[in-house]
Amino acid sequence: DGFVEEIINKTSSGTNRMNTVKITNKAKLFAETGSAFDTTDLGKIKTRAGGHDIIPLKPDPMAKTSMKPDPTNFLKKFAGNGGTMVPKPEPVYTKAELAQQAIKSRQPKMLTYPAFVARPNPPNTELRRFYERGDLPIQIDHGGVANRLAWKVEIQKLDFHHYLPIFFDGLREVEPPYAFVAEQGVMDMLEAGAHKVLPVIPQLIIPIKTALNTRDRAVVVKVLKILQALVNCDVAVSGGAGLIGQALVPYYRQILPVLNIFINKNDNLGDAIDYGQRKRMNLGELITQTLEQLEMHGGEDAFINIKYLVPTYQSVVIY
């Protein structure tokens, strides 16, 4: 799934020497995107984002399956037929051996249970359409360390009712540069115009719900981080607990069901060290943190509504 870039340097003696070998992941590309000079062919896209039409069904437990080959099941000394036609007796396994075989042949739930399988995520977001048309007042500033967005208009002067839902709709993008533009655009608008976000909350629910319904792990992680930034963006502005968290409470029915599915998706490392912890990619832990933020900023009705949709959640607010 990757390609190798070889950086060749010429030494002082004139011979070529491979200095380093850099391995990077190949970017995910859609057939509808075309080349860098084409616009996305939206007319070919007929699938619905987060739809349940193409879902692999869980294998039928009553179906006839073949036993997994046992590497220890071979002809040993004094165990053959001795030149006779007497068939070799069938092996008799104990309950412990059968349980061990079942554990070895078990597949992860992410592959076998339909609830965990990723849904369709076609490249037909509003952000992609507006960005390819040149209707967004931004351009990518390719910096030396990290990229950022260069805004052609002051963010405070933008119409948040028009632009913020467009950037939120692009959160389910997985293809560059649209994925970067959507995430960075949302973060910039939440940081610079926090006082203008509250009236736009009802328009953000459907894009958030659609992105979560794709059940793509990378997309869900991205949306959870945005939700945490969303409920915290107006805390400093209003000087109190903020009102955005309370405004989200009526929409928990649209947001939380997918979180309830993945809340136990933790990484069991034993006594190992998670060196990528700073990247915050652990889905179960991120969901718990997001629910805690929603409860702390959602007012007195937040906990009972979270508990209704995520029964395993425990309150972190001391009354």
Side-chain angles (χ1 to χ4, degrees):
D1 292 333
F3 62 91
V4 178
E5 297 178 353
E6 297 182 356
I7 303 174
I8 309 297
N9 292 334
K10 285 192 174 182
T11 60
S12 57
S13 60
T15 59
N16 291 337
R17 179 174 59 88
M18 186 173 67
N19 189 15
T20 58
V21 178
K22 183 180 179 182
I23 301 177
T24 57
N25 291 328
K26 184 183 293 184
K28 185 174 183 179
L29 300 175
F30 293 98
E32 296 84 2
T33 303
S35 69
F37 302 99
D38 299 328
T39 58
T40 305
D41 190 359
L42 300 176
K44 288 185 178 180
I45 302 174
K46 304 299 181 183
T47 55
R48 181 174 64 88
H52 305 279
D53 301 329
I54 308 172
I55 304 173
L57 299 178
K58 183 181 177 183
D60 185 7
M62 303 301 293
K64 186 177 180 181
T65 57
S66 59
M67 291 293 293
K68 186 177 180 180
D70 187 3
T72 62
N73 188 17
F74 57 88
L75 191 62
K76 304 180 180 63
K77 189 176 181 180
F78 304 116
N81 296 336
T84 66
M85 298 300 293
V86 179
K88 188 177 179 181
E90 292 290 334
V92 178
Y93 297 104
T94 63
K95 289 185 178 181
E97 292 174 336
L98 291 174
Q100 192 67 24
Q101 290 181 5
I103 292 174
K104 289 182 179 179
S105 60
R106 183 183 300 165
Q107 291 183 338
K109 291 183 179 179
M110 296 292 285
L111 301 177
T112 57
Y113 286 78
F116 298 103
V117 176
R119 294 334 192 228
N121 187 15
N124 58 351
T125 61
E126 289 295 304
L127 176 115
R128 181 182 288 248
R129 188 161 63 90
F130 276 79
Y131 181 77
E132 290 177 344
R133 213 162 55 182
D135 287 347
L136 298 178
I138 57 171
Q139 66 184 35
I140 300 178
D141 181 9
H142 297 277
V145 178
N147 295 340
R148 61 181 180 178
L149 291 183
W151 293 83
K152 302 176 183 178
V153 182
E154 292 184 23
I155 299 178
Q156 292 85 353
K157 296 181 180 179
L158 291 176
D159 181 7
F160 272 53
H161 283 275
H162 176 69
Y163 286 105
L164 195 57
I166 293 175
F167 282 101
F168 264 84
D169 190 41
L171 289 178
R172 63 181 177 88
E173 286 281 358
V174 294
E175 185 180 1
Y178 312 102
F180 167 76
V181 169
E183 186 175 8
Q184 192 62 43
V186 169
M187 297 302 292
D188 289 351
M189 294 185 74
L190 293 182
E191 182 180 357
H195 58 285
K196 303 179 70 174
V197 175
L198 182 61
V200 196
I201 290 296
Q203 296 175 251
L204 307 180
I205 303 304
I206 291 180
I208 292 174
K209 177 186 176 182
T210 305
L212 290 174
N213 281 343
T214 61
R215 307 191 189 188
D216 187 337
R217 179 167 180 166
V219 175
V220 174
V221 166
K222 187 194 309 182
V223 174
L224 291 174
K225 294 177 181 177
I226 294 295
L227 279 175
Q228 293 186 24
L230 180 64
V231 298
N232 285 285
C233 71
D234 69 334
V235 173
V237 176
S238 60
L243 298 176
I244 292 180
Q246 299 180 29
L248 287 173
V249 174
Y251 304 105
Y252 283 172
R253 286 176 177 266
Q254 283 75 34
I255 300 174
L256 300 188
V258 175
L259 273 58
N260 184 40
I261 295 174
F262 291 101
I263 192 170
N264 292 323
K265 189 67 182 70
N266 291 301
D267 296 330
N268 185 8
L269 301 179
D271 61 348
I273 297 175
D274 182 11
Y275 289 99
Q277 188 177 11
R278 62 183 177 83
K279 299 179 182 179
R280 301 172 65 204
M281 297 296 291
N282 189 325
L283 193 53
E285 186 177 345
L286 202 57
I287 289 174
T288 303
Q289 294 174 359
T290 305
L291 294 177
E292 292 173 356
Q293 293 292 324
L294 290 175
E295 183 192 2
M296 287 189 288
H297 299 287
E300 59 183 8
D301 296 330
F303 172 69
I304 191 171
N305 284 278
I306 295 175
K307 189 72 172 177
Y308 180 78
L309 293 161
V310 188
T312 57
Y313 177 72
Q314 297 295 325
S315 177
V316 294
V317 177
I318 301 176
Y319 295 98

PDB file of all heavy atoms in Angstrom, residues 193-214:
ATOM      1  N   GLY A 193     -14.146  33.100  15.205  1.00  0.00           N
ATOM      2  CA  GLY A 193     -15.510  33.621  15.266  1.00  0.00           C
ATOM      3  C   GLY A 193     -16.397  32.834  16.201  1.00  0.00           C
ATOM      4  O   GLY A 193     -17.523  32.469  15.837  1.00  0.00           O
ATOM      5  N   ALA A 194     -15.909  32.559  17.413  1.00  0.00           N
ATOM      6  CA  ALA A 194     -16.657  31.713  18.352  1.00  0.00           C
ATOM      7  C   ALA A 194     -18.004  32.316  18.712  1.00  0.00           C
ATOM      8  O   ALA A 194     -18.979  31.592  18.944  1.00  0.00           O
ATOM      9  CB  ALA A 194     -15.826  31.480  19.613  1.00  0.00           C
ATOM     10  N   HIS A 195     -18.091  33.650  18.731  1.00  0.00           N
ATOM     11  CA  HIS A 195     -19.349  34.302  19.110  1.00  0.00           C
ATOM     12  C   HIS A 195     -20.411  34.206  18.021  1.00  0.00           C
ATOM     13  O   HIS A 195     -21.579  34.532  18.281  1.00  0.00           O
ATOM     14  CB  HIS A 195     -19.078  35.774  19.433  1.00  0.00           C
ATOM     15  CG  HIS A 195     -18.457  36.542  18.292  1.00  0.00           C
ATOM     16  ND1 HIS A 195     -17.131  36.387  17.941  1.00  0.00           N
ATOM     17  CD2 HIS A 195     -18.987  37.425  17.409  1.00  0.00           C
ATOM     18  CE1 HIS A 195     -16.868  37.164  16.898  1.00  0.00           C
ATOM     19  NE2 HIS A 195     -17.972  37.795  16.552  1.00  0.00           N
ATOM     20  N   LYS A 196     -20.047  33.755  16.816  1.00  0.00           N
ATOM     21  CA  LYS A 196     -21.013  33.650  15.717  1.00  0.00           C
ATOM     22  C   LYS A 196     -21.426  32.209  15.437  1.00  0.00           C
ATOM     23  O   LYS A 196     -22.163  31.950  14.486  1.00  0.00           O
ATOM     24  CB  LYS A 196     -20.410  34.259  14.446  1.00  0.00           C
ATOM     25  CG  LYS A 196     -19.975  35.710  14.596  1.00  0.00           C
ATOM     26  CD  LYS A 196     -19.368  36.250  13.325  1.00  0.00           C
ATOM     27  CE  LYS A 196     -20.396  36.429  12.240  1.00  0.00           C
ATOM     28  NZ  LYS A 196     -19.836  37.090  11.036  1.00  0.00           N
ATOM     29  N   VAL A 197     -20.964  31.253  16.262  1.00  0.00           N
ATOM     30  CA  VAL A 197     -21.222  29.835  15.993  1.00  0.00           C
ATOM     31  C   VAL A 197     -22.583  29.399  16.505  1.00  0.00           C
ATOM     32  O   VAL A 197     -23.263  28.585  15.869  1.00  0.00           O
ATOM     33  CB  VAL A 197     -20.105  28.971  16.625  1.00  0.00           C
ATOM     34  CG1 VAL A 197     -20.408  27.488  16.461  1.00  0.00           C
ATOM     35  CG2 VAL A 197     -18.763  29.304  15.994  1.00  0.00           C
ATOM     36  N   LEU A 198     -23.021  29.923  17.655  1.00  0.00           N
ATOM     37  CA  LEU A 198     -24.236  29.443  18.315  1.00  0.00           C
ATOM     38  C   LEU A 198     -25.472  29.446  17.416  1.00  0.00           C
ATOM     39  O   LEU A 198     -26.199  28.453  17.375  1.00  0.00           O
ATOM     40  CB  LEU A 198     -24.488  30.260  19.584  1.00  0.00           C
ATOM     41  CG  LEU A 198     -25.708  29.858  20.414  1.00  0.00           C
ATOM     42  CD1 LEU A 198     -25.568  28.417  20.902  1.00  0.00           C
ATOM     43  CD2 LEU A 198     -25.889  30.794  21.592  1.00  0.00           C
ATOM     44  N   PRO A 199     -25.764  30.515  16.647  1.00  0.00           N
ATOM     45  CA  PRO A 199     -26.971  30.476  15.800  1.00  0.00           C
ATOM     46  C   PRO A 199     -26.914  29.462  14.670  1.00  0.00           C
ATOM     47  O   PRO A 199     -27.944  29.141  14.074  1.00  0.00           O
ATOM     48  CB  PRO A 199     -27.055  31.908  15.241  1.00  0.00           C
ATOM     49  CG  PRO A 199     -26.182  32.735  16.119  1.00  0.00           C
ATOM     50  CD  PRO A 199     -25.099  31.820  16.582  1.00  0.00           C
ATOM     51  N   VAL A 200     -25.725  28.951  14.360  1.00  0.00           N
ATOM     52  CA  VAL A 200     -25.558  28.048  13.211  1.00  0.00           C
ATOM     53  C   VAL A 200     -25.671  26.582  13.631  1.00  0.00           C
ATOM     54  O   VAL A 200     -25.660  25.703  12.769  1.00  0.00           O
ATOM     55  CB  VAL A 200     -24.201  28.318  12.528  1.00  0.00           C
ATOM     56  CG1 VAL A 200     -24.154  27.703  11.128  1.00  0.00           C
ATOM     57  CG2 VAL A 200     -23.933  29.806  12.423  1.00  0.00           C
ATOM     58  N   ILE A 201     -25.774  26.306  14.941  1.00  0.00           N
ATOM     59  CA  ILE A 201     -25.755  24.922  15.427  1.00  0.00           C
ATOM     60  C   ILE A 201     -26.774  24.026  14.710  1.00  0.00           C
ATOM     61  O   ILE A 201     -26.432  22.907  14.305  1.00  0.00           O
ATOM     62  CB  ILE A 201     -25.980  24.899  16.958  1.00  0.00           C
ATOM     63  CG1 ILE A 201     -24.750  25.479  17.676  1.00  0.00           C
ATOM     64  CG2 ILE A 201     -26.227  23.468  17.448  1.00  0.00           C
ATOM     65  CD1 ILE A 201     -23.493  24.685  17.487  1.00  0.00           C
ATOM     66  N   PRO A 202     -28.043  24.426  14.509  1.00  0.00           N
ATOM     67  CA  PRO A 202     -28.985  23.514  13.835  1.00  0.00           C
ATOM     68  C   PRO A 202     -28.551  23.100  12.439  1.00  0.00           C
ATOM     69  O   PRO A 202     -28.883  22.002  11.981  1.00  0.00           O
ATOM     70  CB  PRO A 202     -30.288  24.326  13.785  1.00  0.00           C
ATOM     71  CG  PRO A 202     -30.174  25.286  14.923  1.00  0.00           C
ATOM     72  CD  PRO A 202     -28.714  25.649  14.992  1.00  0.00           C
ATOM     73  N   GLN A 203     -27.791  23.945  11.733  1.00  0.00           N
ATOM     74  CA  GLN A 203     -27.345  23.607  10.390  1.00  0.00           C
ATOM     75  C   GLN A 203     -26.140  22.671  10.385  1.00  0.00           C
ATOM     76  O   GLN A 203     -25.805  22.111   9.336  1.00  0.00           O
ATOM     77  CB  GLN A 203     -26.977  24.889   9.626  1.00  0.00           C
ATOM     78  CG  GLN A 203     -28.146  25.817   9.392  1.00  0.00           C
ATOM     79  CD  GLN A 203     -27.715  27.115   8.738  1.00  0.00           C
ATOM     80  OE1 GLN A 203     -27.713  28.175   9.337  1.00  0.00           O
ATOM     81  NE2 GLN A 203     -27.304  27.008   7.480  1.00  0.00           N
ATOM     82  N   LEU A 204     -25.497  22.487  11.533  1.00  0.00           N
ATOM     83  CA  LEU A 204     -24.309  21.631  11.597  1.00  0.00           C
ATOM     84  C   LEU A 204     -24.644  20.194  11.938  1.00  0.00           C
ATOM     85  O   LEU A 204     -23.777  19.315  11.819  1.00  0.00           O
ATOM     86  CB  LEU A 204     -23.331  22.180  12.653  1.00  0.00           C
ATOM     87  CG  LEU A 204     -22.924  23.643  12.518  1.00  0.00           C
ATOM     88  CD1 LEU A 204     -21.954  24.010  13.643  1.00  0.00           C
ATOM     89  CD2 LEU A 204     -22.298  23.919  11.163  1.00  0.00           C
ATOM     90  N   ILE A 205     -25.870  19.916  12.360  1.00  0.00           N
ATOM     91  CA  ILE A 205     -26.203  18.582  12.865  1.00  0.00           C
ATOM     92  C   ILE A 205     -26.172  17.540  11.749  1.00  0.00           C
ATOM     93  O   ILE A 205     -25.608  16.456  11.905  1.00  0.00           O
ATOM     94  CB  ILE A 205     -27.563  18.602  13.569  1.00  0.00           C
ATOM     95  CG1 ILE A 205     -27.546  19.627  14.695  1.00  0.00           C
ATOM     96  CG2 ILE A 205     -27.916  17.222  14.095  1.00  0.00           C
ATOM     97  CD1 ILE A 205     -26.449  19.416  15.717  1.00  0.00           C
ATOM     98  N   ILE A 206     -26.792  17.838  10.609  1.00  0.00           N
ATOM     99  CA  ILE A 206     -26.841  16.852   9.523  1.00  0.00           C
ATOM    100  C   ILE A 206     -25.440  16.533   8.985  1.00  0.00           C
ATOM    101  O   ILE A 206     -25.121  15.355   8.770  1.00  0.00           O
ATOM    102  CB  ILE A 206     -27.788  17.332   8.411  1.00  0.00           C
ATOM    103  CG1 ILE A 206     -29.234  17.298   8.910  1.00  0.00           C
ATOM    104  CG2 ILE A 206     -27.638  16.473   7.154  1.00  0.00           C
ATOM    105  CD1 ILE A 206     -30.262  17.740   7.894  1.00  0.00           C
ATOM    106  N   PRO A 207     -24.557  17.525   8.757  1.00  0.00           N
ATOM    107  CA  PRO A 207     -23.190  17.149   8.351  1.00  0.00           C
ATOM    108  C   PRO A 207     -22.460  16.302   9.386  1.00  0.00           C
ATOM    109  O   PRO A 207     -21.751  15.355   9.020  1.00  0.00           O
ATOM    110  CB  PRO A 207     -22.502  18.505   8.150  1.00  0.00           C
ATOM    111  CG  PRO A 207     -23.598  19.453   7.855  1.00  0.00           C
ATOM    112  CD  PRO A 207     -24.778  18.978   8.633  1.00  0.00           C
ATOM    113  N   ILE A 208     -22.636  16.606  10.674  1.00  0.00           N
ATOM    114  CA  ILE A 208     -21.987  15.806  11.717  1.00  0.00           C
ATOM    115  C   ILE A 208     -22.555  14.388  11.719  1.00  0.00           C
ATOM    116  O   ILE A 208     -21.809  13.401  11.798  1.00  0.00           O
ATOM    117  CB  ILE A 208     -22.168  16.477  13.093  1.00  0.00           C
ATOM    118  CG1 ILE A 208     -21.390  17.791  13.160  1.00  0.00           C
ATOM    119  CG2 ILE A 208     -21.711  15.551  14.216  1.00  0.00           C
ATOM    120  CD1 ILE A 208     -21.630  18.584  14.425  1.00  0.00           C
ATOM    121  N   LYS A 209     -23.867  14.282  11.617  1.00  0.00           N
ATOM    122  CA  LYS A 209     -24.508  12.957  11.615  1.00  0.00           C
ATOM    123  C   LYS A 209     -24.060  12.135  10.406  1.00  0.00           C
ATOM    124  O   LYS A 209     -23.768  10.935  10.526  1.00  0.00           O
ATOM    125  CB  LYS A 209     -26.026  13.121  11.617  1.00  0.00           C
ATOM    126  CG  LYS A 209     -26.793  11.815  11.542  1.00  0.00           C
ATOM    127  CD  LYS A 209     -28.281  12.073  11.392  1.00  0.00           C
ATOM    128  CE  LYS A 209     -29.037  10.762  11.220  1.00  0.00           C
ATOM    129  NZ  LYS A 209     -30.486  10.977  11.027  1.00  0.00           N
ATOM    130  N   THR A 210     -23.991  12.753   9.241  1.00  0.00           N
ATOM    131  CA  THR A 210     -23.585  12.040   8.029  1.00  0.00           C
ATOM    132  C   THR A 210     -22.144  11.546   8.143  1.00  0.00           C
ATOM    133  O   THR A 210     -21.827  10.415   7.759  1.00  0.00           O
ATOM    134  CB  THR A 210     -23.723  12.957   6.804  1.00  0.00           C
ATOM    135  OG1 THR A 210     -25.057  13.457   6.743  1.00  0.00           O
ATOM    136  CG2 THR A 210     -23.412  12.199   5.532  1.00  0.00           C
ATOM    137  N   ALA A 211     -21.262  12.387   8.687  1.00  0.00           N
ATOM    138  CA  ALA A 211     -19.863  11.981   8.831  1.00  0.00           C
ATOM    139  C   ALA A 211     -19.725  10.822   9.814  1.00  0.00           C
ATOM    140  O   ALA A 211     -18.964   9.880   9.574  1.00  0.00           O
ATOM    141  CB  ALA A 211     -19.024  13.173   9.298  1.00  0.00           C
ATOM    142  N   LEU A 212     -20.460  10.863  10.925  1.00  0.00           N
ATOM    143  CA  LEU A 212     -20.386   9.771  11.896  1.00  0.00           C
ATOM    144  C   LEU A 212     -20.987   8.485  11.330  1.00  0.00           C
ATOM    145  O   LEU A 212     -20.513   7.394  11.632  1.00  0.00           O
ATOM    146  CB  LEU A 212     -21.107  10.163  13.186  1.00  0.00           C
ATOM    147  CG  LEU A 212     -20.435  11.250  14.040  1.00  0.00           C
ATOM    148  CD1 LEU A 212     -21.333  11.633  15.210  1.00  0.00           C
ATOM    149  CD2 LEU A 212     -19.084  10.772  14.555  1.00  0.00           C
ATOM    150  N   ASN A 213     -22.021   8.609  10.511  1.00  0.00           N
ATOM    151  CA  ASN A 213     -22.683   7.419   9.963  1.00  0.00           C
ATOM    152  C   ASN A 213     -21.817   6.676   8.957  1.00  0.00           C
ATOM    153  O   ASN A 213     -22.138   5.529   8.611  1.00  0.00           O
ATOM    154  CB  ASN A 213     -24.018   7.798   9.319  1.00  0.00           C
ATOM    155  CG  ASN A 213     -25.111   7.985  10.341  1.00  0.00           C
ATOM    156  OD1 ASN A 213     -24.990   7.552  11.483  1.00  0.00           O
ATOM    157  ND2 ASN A 213     -26.189   8.637   9.945  1.00  0.00           N
ATOM    158  N   THR A 214     -20.760   7.283   8.454  1.00  0.00           N
ATOM    159  CA  THR A 214     -19.857   6.534   7.577  1.00  0.00           C
ATOM    160  C   THR A 214     -19.128   5.434   8.352  1.00  0.00           C
ATOM    161  O   THR A 214     -18.687   4.456   7.765  1.00  0.00           O
ATOM    162  CB  THR A 214     -18.818   7.468   6.947  1.00  0.00           C
ATOM    163  OG1 THR A 214     -18.027   8.070   7.974  1.00  0.00           O
ATOM    164  CG2 THR A 214     -19.484   8.548   6.123  1.00  0.00           C
TER     165      THR A 214
END
